[in-house]
Amino acid sequence: MAAEAAVAPTGPAVTLTHRHVFGLQADVKNSVHYAEETQIIYPSGTNTILWMADQKQQKFFHGPEGAEGITCLAVNSTKRYLAVAEKCSEGAIVTVFDLVTGKKRKTLSTTVALPDCDAPEFVCVAFSADNKYLLTQTGTSKSGKHDWTLIYWQWDKARPFATMTVSNAQSSPIRECSFNPTDSTLVCVIGDGIFKILQVKDGAFKTLPAAPAKLQSFLCHCWLSDDKLLVCCESGDFMLFDNAGEFQAVLQSSPGEPRSAVCVLSFSKGFITGGDDGFIRVFEKSDDPKEIYRRTKTIQLDSGAPRSLALSPSEEALAVTTSTAQLYSLSLLGHDVLKAEESPAFESVLTPFHTGAILGMDVCTRKPLVVTCGMDKSVRVWNYLEKTCELCKFFNEEAYSVAFHPSGFHLIIGFSDKLRLMNLLMEDMRTFKDIPIKACRECRFSNGGQYFAAVSTTTIQVYKTYTCEPIETLRGHNQKVRSIAWTADDSMLVSTGMDGAVYEFNVLQEGRRVGNDFVLKTTSFSCVLVYTDPSTGGNTMYVVGTDKMLREVHNGQPQNIIQAGTTLGQIVLSNSAKALFAAVAEPDAVAPIRCYKFPLDGFFNEFSCHSAPATRIRITFDDYFLFTCSEDGCLFIFDVRKKDKEAPKRDKESVLPPADEILVTRTFLDEKQAQLLELERQVEELSNQIEFQLRHRETFHKEEMVELEEKYTQEIDAERTKHELLREEKNDAEMEAEENIKSLVELHAKQTQDLEGSFQHKMMIEVGRYQKLATEKESIHRYWETEHKQLMDKHAKTVAELKREFEARQAEDKRTIQRIVDEKRLAEEVHQETMRQLEQDTDQEIEDLKNEKELRLKAEREDKVRLRGMSGIHKRNHEDLKRLMQKKEDELHQYEEEARKKQEKINQLDSEKAHNLKEIRERDKQIGDKEGKIYELKKQNQELEKFKFVLDYKIKELKAQIDPKSEAIAEMMKQIQAMDSDLEDYHRKNKQLLQNIQQLTSKQRSLQEEIISQRKRMLESQTIIKRLKNDLHECVQFIQEPKQLKESVSNLYKKYVPNGIKKQELDSDIQREYIRQRDYLQKSVESLKRKLVKDKEVHRQDNNRVLLENVQLIREINDLRKEIDFLKKERQQQRLQVSKMKMGTKAQAATAQPADQNVLREIATNSGRIDELRKRVEEQLTMRETALREKEQFVEEPDENELGFIPDDGRGLDDL
């Protein structure tokens, strides 16, 4: 149906085009290549991406229909063609693309080379050096007939040249194959215990006798720049082979660690390897013949292990893909990787990607942002217009779901332990509120942003966004809720789950179900969306699930059912209601995106993207962009376009532009302001210091220049004299060389004549030998013809004799066979006659026995009927007795059980009575103690009143004495304050003096360091000046020859001024001072950060303490509720028992004898006691409810005055 829909004239009104993708397919062989200096090729989902860094754009290469994912990539030596190998159940496929035009050139399949080949994938692909041939290596096949088959193609004609099964008898896996760069007929294949050099000859592979001394598990290989072959073993050894595959040596520089080289790449100076230990090692050719190659650099990757390496055409950049699905680039131009002392840092080519599946995604309304969360415990915010990652934060817990507020300022993230409402700041995500919902796998903001809903297993909780106040708890599902959706006006919430139910809740009416429920118990639904018809206002729901159907549900009834043919995991409806998009979520299969026409008529278009089931799909509010993510860790962005039209542009007058506001904290602004002021102060100080140092250096350099000019003048004179002497020596050497050349020419002519004579003599000898050999050949040929004729005659005679013997023997055998057949026919006639007589005798005996046995059987049957009647009578009597006995036993057990329960109830009530009496006695005792204490306190109060009167009188007298002294104290206090101010001035001055001393000390230290550096530079300058004097002295020797003098002066200038005259650079002391200041600022920032962490920890402990107290109170409330529920159930059980007893009493009264009056009286007594116990239970419930209300009031208003009536005896509300 998808194939018909793709060309249907009534298909969807919109189409999708790939815009950008964030993610990498990590399990692809040779997953990264360079097309140009700024263009990188890598796989993502089911597409191959060409990233053009200079244009910040991606070009997509799509595979053929029916492909099930990319397995390996290859790019030819000229960077013109790309080969993409993909899985296919009908046979592995390789597609060759033109990287310049982006068009598909050829498609190669295993069914072309081998019609019955059922291998579903290629594990390796390689181009030849001349770009004419392609080598493909298949994996295991379903039938096992074509496991590990190597195919040699002339790819431009899609014609296979040769095929061969290259594995061993154990069917060990093959890991790589490649062409010899100098000879395209030679092929190398390596694998687990397999190393083969094959040659293509006469349309077939021939194995060359080349193998190492010991076969190991070989992981990777490459051809080096000197045409040698390097093979890396799993043990960590590097084996070196020559161009023909002959083993030479094991490199001494091999790491020797297991799986330390799983990928290898050659370059002009050596090779680069990457291993599972996370190290990238660089090896360079060595001059030592024993070492051959030496390790020059080891670089550690921060995360993951390298899986594939690629070098740019100029060898200025190295691209690396890792096991964590990351794509890094290392610039070899700025940091010479072969000579740098510090390990250079890798940078992400685009941006860091998710590692593992993406579990949650949502899109913002007011900003061009998308948020995702994944199994790597990270939450990332992407800008889909600028194609960047705005923010990435890692958490300690795994995030299952995420929702974006329409304003772009808030996020909801469902972690494994809680649900967090977070503020999205400029550089961070800060938690605003923690909500106790564990493992929330679905959460959504309302369209207006005033509410948000979160799923807690089988329930949905709705909160207010800005107060986090819970509104409703929506119940109804029996199993986990998988998806929720808000209506356009935020009044309704639609949900679906694994129980196959679709419910519609009215959030504004206490979360009541509307009644438009749809339940399909045999199906597990995965996603639901709701569409409100603007004309009628009715809500229509669309759901997908495991039944591979797309259902349209209205008023609880399915209106339209679309057969999808595959499992659809997620669906989304465009806001313009013109198209419905669905993501395929078939397990272990690729996940294309479908675009259905809306209203649904079954037609759709399909667009390839993901290689694993899709987990989320979203669309922007303006229907311009579609986003999908899946378990392969990729985030795809599509442009949504109308058919046969260009992409729509925003109408600046009618549509609001994206918001550019950000959310920051007051602390952040204060810190930035403080940093700005501090940096301005430092800049001012540095500018003053630089001006002073520049003036000082200018004076010093002027003095040095005068000295240097004098020295250079003296050296130039000396060099001139030296130059004259050297010129005379040169003339003498030239004359001597001319004489030597003449003598050598004469000697060469003589040797040439001698060689020509010798060659003519040898040619005559060889001609004679040739004639002699020709004569011998003719005689041998005649002898061979004679011998051949004799042998042919002899062979003909032998064949005739053998033929005559065979014919005689054949006639004898025929006569023997005829005789045996006659004997067999006679024996069969005798046997048949014997069998006929035996059968007649046997039949007669059987008839006699049959008559006798029938008579006996008839008598036995009569006896059996008589005995069966008697047995039936006895069995009925036995069953009646047994049934009666069982009934009596059941009645006895029932009475015993009732008595036991009553006794247990009596014991329980007795224990409660004893407990209550004990509690009353304790309360009475406490009341008496309290009354005694009150009486004693009253007595003490009277005594204290007396003391108060006496003390008041004494206070008045003392005040009269204190007043004169208070004035003196006030004057002394003023003097003390004046002295304190003086003391503070002294402290301030001392502090200022200490700072001055420190500054002077630091300046002295810096000046001393400057003096030492200047001395070093002076020594270096003196050395250079001395060399310059010597060169000038040589140059002066050409003072009489202007041309040579000009050349020597020019050479002198090039030697001492290689890069021209540069502007004066900053002094190293200034740079050191700047570094010192920067280190000081960094340390200050670190101390402030540590302080901030401590403060955060204190606040976190306070929050945890409050949370624990709340949890304890909630636990107590729950315990009280459980006790109430238990008492209610117990009361209901007692009522049921009483009703049963009454019914049993009535039945017994109808059938029992007058002697059962005692049982009736006992039942009446028990009924009275039960009524009495019911009243006591109700009183206990009333007391517990009163205590619960008092406890709640105590939690809400914890005032000591209001709680003064509670006795301080260490007991809680439960005891009261």
Side-chain angles (χ1 to χ4, degrees), residues 77-240:
S77 58
T78 61
K79 310 297 182 182
R80 176 65 186 271
Y81 300 110
L82 166 68
V84 181
E86 297 178 86
K87 292 181 184 178
C88 186
S89 58
E90 298 177 357
I93 299 173
V94 173
T95 307
V96 181
F97 295 93
D98 192 323
L99 291 175
V100 177
T101 62
K103 296 181 180 179
K104 188 184 297 184
R105 289 292 302 269
K106 287 291 179 182
T107 300
L108 313 177
S109 176
T110 54
T111 55
V112 176
L114 299 169
D116 57 342
C117 181
D118 55 352
E121 64 176 343
F122 290 119
V123 298
C124 190
V125 179
F127 278 100
S128 62
D130 56 6
N131 305 321
K132 295 181 180 179
Y133 304 103
L134 187 71
L135 198 64
T136 59
Q137 175 65 62
T138 68
T140 57
S141 61
K142 299 176 183 177
S143 62
K145 297 179 180 179
H146 299 282
D147 290 349
W148 312 109
T149 301
L150 186 68
I151 307 175
Y152 189 99
W153 301 84
Q154 186 177 2
W155 67 267
D156 55 347
K157 297 181 181 179
R159 186 174 66 183
F161 265 17
T163 61
M164 180 180 182
T165 301
V166 293
S167 185
N168 52 20
Q170 293 78 24
S171 189
S172 299
I174 304 298
R175 293 193 172 93
E176 287 186 353
C177 60
S178 65
F179 284 97
N180 188 317
T182 59
D183 187 358
S184 298
T185 61
L186 291 180
V187 173
C188 175
V189 177
I190 65 168
D192 189 0
I194 296 170
F195 177 86
K196 293 183 179 180
I197 300 294
L198 308 174
Q199 185 177 17
V200 178
K201 194 172 182 180
D202 297 333
F205 281 115
K206 294 185 178 180
T207 305
L208 299 182
K214 179 182 178 182
L215 290 177
Q216 304 181 39
S217 179
F218 302 107
L219 299 180
C220 56
H221 75 293
C222 70
W223 296 89
L224 303 178
S225 57
D226 54 358
D227 296 335
K228 291 186 178 181
L229 177 63
L230 178 74
V231 180
C232 303
C233 305
E234 188 172 7
S235 61
D237 293 334
F238 295 164
M239 293 185 176
L240 196 64

Side-chain angles (χ1 to χ4, degrees), residues 664-705:
V664 295
T665 61
R666 173 68 64 182
T667 306
F668 179 81
L669 290 177
D670 294 341
E671 290 177 356
K672 291 296 181 183
Q673 187 66 26
Q675 291 177 5
L676 182 62
L677 295 174
E678 181 66 20
L679 291 172
E680 288 178 353
R681 186 186 62 79
Q682 293 178 7
V683 168
E684 187 177 355
E685 291 179 359
L686 288 172
S687 61
N688 294 332
Q689 293 179 5
I690 289 170
E691 288 178 2
F692 171 74
Q693 291 179 359
L694 286 175
R695 288 195 298 269
H696 177 70
R697 292 182 65 186
E698 186 177 358
T699 305
F700 177 73
H701 285 307
K702 285 181 179 178
E703 295 176 357
E704 280 190 343
M705 285 299 295

